Amino acid sequence: MTDGRSWEGNWKVRLYERVRERGYDSLTAFAEARPTSSLVALAEELGPDDIAGVQVFSGLLAEAERSHRVTRLIRGQLVRELAEAIPNGWPTVLDDANRFDVAHALARWGTFTPETQKERVRRIGDALLATPPPPGWRPLGPDDELLRALLPDEKV
């Protein structure tokens, strides 16, 4: 966890230097090699004292916007949130405790969604709660079949 130094200096340069030091040509490539790692885990791997999860997301969003792959980023972020909240997959029973875990993941997902996509993400979250996926469903990346059906790639 950072101690507040993450915003000191040119954090974008620092972020991309760390990505390149690890052999990746983009932050997206680095993150996609770790599809179920949280933004905090990605930040800690890149710099436990001076990189924050929100900075990682900011870089990922900038890259996604340049490559017209924002929908893929949004799917990937849902994977990260679900992996953290329900690591064993979609619960068999959506009792109060499980519903809270899923709702918490969906709320965090919405937090890391560009404003232009928030309504779409809200509707998808509502649909997942109303018509849950099969028990044990655990998307391992942004190309999961169910996620692609819910959030098809944008047309460029």
Side-chain angles (χ1 to χ4, degrees):
M1 186 69 81
T2 66
D3 62 4
R5 293 185 302 160
S6 56
W7 299 104
E8 292 178 6
N10 191 333
W11 64 267
K12 290 179 183 179
V13 168
R14 184 170 56 246
L15 177 66
Y16 282 96
E17 283 174 350
R18 304 280 173 75
V19 167
R20 284 189 297 280
E21 286 170 2
R22 285 154 181 79
Y24 295 91
D25 62 356
S26 71
L27 183 56
T28 299
F30 171 80
E32 286 192 355
R34 299 149 180 80
T36 59
S37 293
S38 70
L39 293 172
V40 169
L42 294 173
E44 288 179 353
E45 186 175 343
L46 291 169
D49 297 323
D50 60 0
I51 302 288
V54 68
Q55 292 169 325
V56 172
F57 187 77
S58 176
L60 290 170
L61 179 57
E63 289 182 9
E65 287 172 338
R66 282 193 300 272
S67 64
H68 305 285
R69 299 182 84 190
V70 172
T71 299
R72 182 180 173 80
L73 171 68
I74 294 169
R75 286 194 312 256
Q77 190 57 35
L78 179 56
V79 169
R80 293 177 195 292
E81 299 301 346
L82 291 175
E84 189 171 357
I86 51 172
N88 296 320
W90 198 270
T92 303
V93 176
L94 211 53
D95 58 14
D96 287 344
N98 288 329
R99 180 175 286 277
F100 175 82
D101 290 341
V102 170
H104 191 232
L106 295 173
R108 283 194 322 252
W109 179 44
T111 301
F112 288 101
T113 296
E115 201 59 44
T116 58
Q117 302 292 318
K118 288 207 184 272
E119 180 59 28
R120 183 179 183 201
V121 162
R122 188 193 60 74
R123 283 193 316 267
I124 291 164
D126 290 348
L128 284 170
L129 288 170
T131 309
W137 173 69
R138 186 174 161 248
L140 299 176
D143 294 323
D144 176 85
E145 185 178 334
L146 176 57
L147 289 183
R148 288 182 64 104
L150 291 169
L151 280 162
D153 288 320
E154 57 262 55
K155 297 185 178 25
V156 181

